[in-house]
Each structure stands twice: as C-alpha cells, then as structure tokens.
Amino acid sequence: GIARADLCIASKCGFVTKDWSIDLSPRHIHEACEASLENLNTAYIDIYYLHRLPKTKQALTHCLEALVVLLHEGKIKQVGLSEASAEMIQHAH
C-alpha cells in the first residue's frame, strides 16, 4: 500500500449528479465535500475544485467563503478553480 501522505487526491464540486444541474451554494459545496470524503474514504482532499465558476465576483466570493471554512476544518488542503479567467483568479487570491 501507498501511504496517504504520498498521494494527492483531487475532487470537485458544483454539479448535482441527479440532474446535472449546477449548484454553487455554500450548502452544496459542504455537502459535496462531505460526500467526497466518505466516498474516497479519506479524512481530507488535497485539491478541491469548483467545477464551474459563477458569473460574478460577488457569487465567487460566497463560494470561496464556503471553501475557506473547509480549509479551516482541515477537510481540504488547497482550492482549485476550473475554467477561471485571470480576473477571477486574481479576485480569488
């Protein structure tokens, strides 16, 4: 076996698999993280991505606030942003 510390696990959130809609609410971000932790049988995710980004900086800020909570709880180690523009990355930083 490989030690967990020697692995990098990435997962993403944002899609609702039952109907393939997008949900970037803080509640869904937390629920999706908990489900991923359980499904992956791990205590933390190394890189947790927003699979799609909201259209506004204000909406992204709400997502990032939820991700910061997960960081502080130790459930994720890093945040990833899929399909992000330079402007959105700068805002997130």
Side-chain angles (χ1 to χ4, degrees), residues 29-77:
I29 290 170
H30 284 274
E31 289 173 353
C33 182
E34 292 294 340
S36 291
L37 291 170
E38 185 176 332
N39 291 336
L40 294 166
N41 193 29
T42 189
Y44 63 93
I45 297 167
D46 296 282
I47 307 171
Y48 196 52
Y49 288 89
L50 287 179
H51 190 70
R52 294 287 186 264
L53 293 187
K55 297 190 185 306
T56 68
K57 289 180 183 178
Q58 181 180 13
L60 178 58
T61 298
H62 292 296
C63 296
L64 294 170
E65 289 169 348
L67 293 166
V68 166
V69 171
L70 294 171
L71 282 165
H72 288 299
E73 292 175 346
K75 294 179 180 178
I76 65 173
K77 301 296 182 188

Side-chain angles (χ1 to χ4, degrees), residues 1-51:
I2 299 172
R4 172 62 181 94
D6 294 333
L7 297 174
C8 180
I9 296 176
S11 188
K12 52 191 168 184
C13 65
F15 276 130
V16 179
T17 55
K18 70 178 180 178
D19 62 4
W20 297 106
S21 63
I22 296 173
D23 185 349
L24 297 173
S25 68
R27 179 180 175 189
H28 179 75
I29 290 170
H30 284 274
E31 289 173 353
C33 182
E34 292 294 340
S36 291
L37 291 170
E38 185 176 332
N39 291 336
L40 294 166
N41 193 29
T42 189
Y44 63 93
I45 297 167
D46 296 282
I47 307 171
Y48 196 52
Y49 288 89
L50 287 179
H51 190 70

